[in-house]
Amino acid sequence: MTPHAANDRRLRPAASGRLSGWVPATALLLAMTTSCTGSASGDDSAAGPRPGAAGVGDRLFPALGNGGYDVAHYGLTLDYVPENNRLKGTAVITARATQDLSRFNLDLSGLRVRTATVQGAKAQFSREKDELRVTPAKPVKDGDIFKTVVTYDGTPRTIENDDGGLEGWIETDDGATALGQPAGSMTWFPGNHHPSDKATYDITVTVPKDEDGDPYDVVGNGELTAQEDNGDSVTRHWRTEEPMAGYLAHISVGYFEIDKGRTDDDLPVYVAIDPDESEDAADVKDLVPEIVGWASRRFGPYPFSSTGAIVDHLPDLDYALETQTKPYFDEAPDETLLVHELAHQWFGNSVTPRQWKDMWLNEGLATYAEWLWEEEHGGRDTDQIFEDFYDGTDSESEGIWAFAPADPPSAARVSDPPVYGRGAMVVHELRKAVGDETFFDILRTWTRQHRHGNADTRQFIALCEARSGKNLTKLFDVWLFNKEKPSRTK
Ligand SMILES: [Zn+2]
């Protein structure tokens, strides 16, 4: 096999300045208050309803997400016209208030908001940069479940980052695709777009037939629960019943060859391939169930109710993304990249970082899955891959010593090589320290304990120490937290 660049998403800050945006200290304080207790305490409650924070206080992306509520469900009804790239949407957002709210924010970039209601009553709204501020007619009480409906339309934005990388709503040669890491989902629906607020989704998309009267396909996360032919348009309804972080929400509109199957564990498999990639991607439909079965035996039960892949034809994009249940590929992936994105279904999608600085838990573990796959499929063994990263002979090892994997210096660098390659080296050092049996027990316990939730580095280390009975402070200090390239400890 020929391992190659794991051409996975490399996070970049948005050129709009949204991601490095200034956030008032008071907003951060409010976010901290709500995340600690879920409700106002002491003097605050005497002060009555107050605005939800404009960000959740992510250290690297302080303006992402919003405080004061937790979203339980997004119901998105979208009309999309590929010919002129126009989107019309209704978002029904069901959330629970975590404080008395006089108003609250939703993240939304571009598009024109037409109406907003909260609990059926007309709400006031205003826009500022990528924040939609909603003021309900009556304050929402702490603990109340409330429904917000926003109608909107326009030409959805593509976010072009400093180095030319694209996210958000991206037109393809036969439709469009929506990619949300880290902030692109706000270009096609309003929401709480930080990974710490996961929710279930129903996404219904209607697209007119093309000029020949042929229907477009619409492929999304989760399961296809309904499809209708309306004469001159088609409607597809995709449902995600397990919690999903906003950055993993996805739809692709275009022409696809669809292959449906089952894994050995009877899990539905849905593979959509752009006809321009069908020859190169011929093995994807067989590899997906094989890799999912392999990974389930190592990492624990597959966490979602279906799996699959979307192979589009958008080679200029130059990355793949682990969109939930069906990773998205800009062109036919090789085996290694498929392993990486499918491993993210456990590491990142089911167990999601609480803050973006813990990205190494996604990328280090998904990269280590590549190493394990190679070792078990006739390639180098993991000791050798580790050596090749250490001495720089592996092509993926370039730049891995730039900073400590657990401490990306800025939002712009949160997806740089240390988070991937050196992150995988941390995992290998852990495996050597605790032995194979305990190592795989740690991984399976991790995916079980935090299934469909959020977790952080501190919790990972605590679990490693608890399951192994060893003090691993030095190992993690040297490999995870220290910037210096560790000396050899053979
Ligand atoms: Zn990745």
Side-chain angles (χ1 to χ4, degrees):
M1 60 184 292
T2 315
H4 80 315
N7 215 6
D8 189 54
R9 182 67 176 114
R10 303 292 201 263
L11 292 185
R12 307 166 186 102
S16 66
R18 170 70 177 79
L19 301 177
S20 52
W22 172 85
V23 64
T26 47
L28 283 172
L29 278 173
L30 288 173
M32 284 160 67
T33 306
T34 57
S35 66
C36 290
T37 63
S39 65
S41 61
D43 297 345
D44 286 345
S45 47
R50 62 185 199 282
V56 298
D58 189 286
R59 203 187 80 195
L60 295 171
F61 298 88
L64 270 188
N66 305 286
Y69 63 94
D70 261 317
V71 178
H73 182 76
Y74 292 93
L76 308 177
T77 304
L78 308 173
D79 286 276
Y80 179 64
V81 182
E83 274 69 28
N84 60 11
N85 193 30
R86 297 280 294 181
L87 182 73
K88 193 172 156 199
T90 301
V92 180
I93 302 165
T94 308
R96 184 179 58 85
T98 56
Q99 65 175 67
D100 290 339
L101 281 170
S102 58
R103 67 159 205 253
F104 58 91
N105 283 24
L106 295 163
D107 299 319
L108 182 67
S109 178
L111 300 166
R112 177 166 186 164
V113 175
R114 298 288 179 176
T115 62
T117 63
V118 177
Q119 294 296 65
K122 191 168 175 237
Q124 301 297 314
F125 62 88
S126 61
R127 307 286 303 272
E128 192 178 340
K129 292 186 179 166
D130 296 336
E131 301 285 342
L132 168 63
R133 259 201 306 254
V134 179
T135 307
K138 276 196 320 203
V140 180
K141 282 202 172 62
D142 183 17
D144 278 3
I145 309 285
F146 66 105
K147 204 167 267 193
T148 303
V149 181
V150 178
T151 62
Y152 57 96
D153 56 64
T155 301
R157 280 181 182 168
T158 303
I159 299 175
E160 185 170 349
N161 297 309
D162 291 341
D163 57 2
L166 302 179
E167 65 165 320
W169 189 270
I170 303 167
E171 282 189 274
T172 63
D173 58 4
D174 60 355
T177 193
L179 297 169
Q181 194 181 45
S185 292
M186 66 172 75
T187 65
W188 59 287
F189 66 98
N192 201 18
H193 291 301
H194 186 268
S196 57
D197 189 359
K198 298 164 84 165
T200 55
Y201 286 71
D202 279 277
I203 305 178
T204 303
V205 187
T206 299
V207 182
K209 290 180 180 173
D210 66 17
E211 56 195 12
D212 298 326
D214 293 325
Y216 291 91
D217 284 306
V218 181
V219 187
N221 315 97
E223 290 87 57
L224 181 64
T225 58
Q227 47 184 334
E228 286 135 39
D229 188 326
N230 316 306
D232 55 0
S233 66
V234 291
T235 301
R236 300 277 184 272
H237 182 155
W238 288 93
R239 175 169 293 163
T240 297
E241 290 190 357
E242 296 97 7
M244 175 164 74
Y247 77 93
L248 299 166
H250 178 78
I251 56 170
S252 277
V253 177
Y255 305 112
F256 292 99
E257 294 165 357
I258 308 295
D259 191 276
K260 290 185 242 179
R262 296 251 162 194
T263 66
D264 289 345
D265 296 331
D266 213 28
L267 189 69
V269 181
Y270 192 104
V271 173
I273 297 179
D274 187 300
D276 289 341
E277 298 289 333
S278 60
E279 205 172 307
D280 291 341
D283 56 352
V284 170
K285 67 179 168 44
D286 294 327
L287 277 170
V288 167
E290 186 188 340
I291 292 167
V292 166
W294 172 86
S296 303
R297 290 190 290 278
R298 276 143 197 83
F299 309 143
Y302 180 78
F304 305 119
S305 45
S306 64
T307 187
I310 300 167
V311 182
D312 208 344
H313 179 68
L314 186 60
D316 288 347
L317 183 70
D318 208 26
Y319 71 83
L321 185 63
E322 63 265 28
T323 42
Q324 192 151 307
T325 69
K326 293 176 198 67
Y328 176 89
F329 300 93
D330 60 335
E331 59 184 351
D334 70 5
E335 218 172 276
T336 308
L337 189 55
L338 260 178
V339 168
H340 181 102
E341 304 304 343
L342 288 168
H344 272 310
Q345 306 304 314
W346 286 261
F347 306 117
N349 297 10
S350 175
V351 185
T352 306
R354 189 165 286 118
Q355 292 224 10
W356 279 116
K357 72 178 173 57
D358 288 323
M359 180 78 165
W360 83 274
L361 286 168
N362 289 12
E363 301 305 345
L365 286 161
T367 302
Y368 198 68
E370 297 174 36
W371 296 17
L372 288 168
W373 176 269
E374 181 178 346
E375 178 172 68
E376 295 177 38
H377 292 81
R380 298 166 295 172
D381 65 32
T382 45
D383 283 333
Q384 185 59 52
I385 301 172
F386 181 94
E387 292 301 320
D388 293 347
F389 271 75
Y390 189 87
D391 65 23
T393 52
D394 190 292
S395 62
E396 286 297 291
S397 64
E398 199 182 330
I400 61 170
W401 308 110
F403 57 82
D407 191 24
S410 67
R413 311 203 53 196
V414 73
S415 208
D416 275 7
V419 176
Y420 286 71
R422 190 169 163 185
M425 295 177 86
V426 177
V427 178
H428 190 65
E429 282 292 311
L430 169 69
R431 182 181 170 196
K432 283 197 297 183
V434 302
D436 274 15
E437 195 179 326
T438 303
F439 172 72
F440 286 104
D441 170 63
I442 288 168
L443 296 188
R444 283 190 282 267
T445 306
W446 179 249
T447 60
R448 189 179 69 244
Q449 283 184 347
H450 301 289
R451 181 180 162 93
H452 301 160
N454 293 95
D456 60 28
T457 298
R458 192 182 45 77
Q459 288 171 299
F460 184 74
I461 293 171
L463 175 69
C464 294
E465 294 194 327
R467 300 306 271 204
S468 67
K470 292 183 180 211
N471 182 338
L472 299 168
T473 307
K474 190 169 172 223
L475 185 155
F476 286 111
D477 275 353
V478 168
W479 285 95
L480 186 60
F481 294 110
N482 197 324
K483 182 175 181 295
E484 303 308 314
K485 180 176 180 178
S487 57
R488 306 313 305 272
T489 50
K490 281 205 160 173

